[in-house]
Amino acid sequence: MMLVLMVLALILSFALIVLVTIQPRQTQIFSTDATSNIGKPSYWSSQPIRKFLTLAISIALFILLLIFMIVSYK
């Protein structure tokens, strides 16, 4: 059981690192940031599947680590 949780945590961690690395970057200029984004697509409109997958994997990893802590505490 512990070995399966560790392997799953390793796989999810690696997948999260890869997904965060390939996320598109946007420079922020705080003086014009509020007005320069008017009319541009929102954050989720740009590559929504990749961003949703990143969110889902990070939530899955968080839940897995909580389960791992509970199992290893007993």
Side-chain angles (χ1 to χ4, degrees), residues 31-66:
S31 61
T32 61
D33 195 38
T35 58
S36 64
N37 287 332
I38 296 174
K40 292 185 180 176
S42 67
Y43 178 78
W44 289 100
S45 295
S46 162
Q47 301 171 348
I49 295 173
R50 185 184 301 169
K51 291 178 182 175
F52 178 75
L53 193 61
T54 304
L55 179 64
I57 287 180
S58 63
I59 290 171
L61 181 61
F62 177 72
I63 292 171
L64 177 73
L65 291 177
L66 284 177

Side-chain angles (χ1 to χ4, degrees), residues 4 12 27 29-30 38 42 47 52 55 58 69-70 74:
V4 172
L12 285 175
T27 58
I29 302 170
F30 292 106
I38 296 174
S42 67
Q47 301 171 348
F52 178 75
L55 179 64
S58 63
M69 288 190 318
I70 291 169
K74 292 182 179 181

Side-chain angles (χ1 to χ4, degrees), residues 6 9 11 13 15 22 25 28 33 47 49 62 66 68-69:
M6 285 191 264
I11 292 169
S13 299
I22 62 174
R25 301 286 182 248
Q28 290 183 343
D33 195 38
Q47 301 171 348
I49 295 173
F62 177 72
L66 284 177
F68 186 67
M69 288 190 318

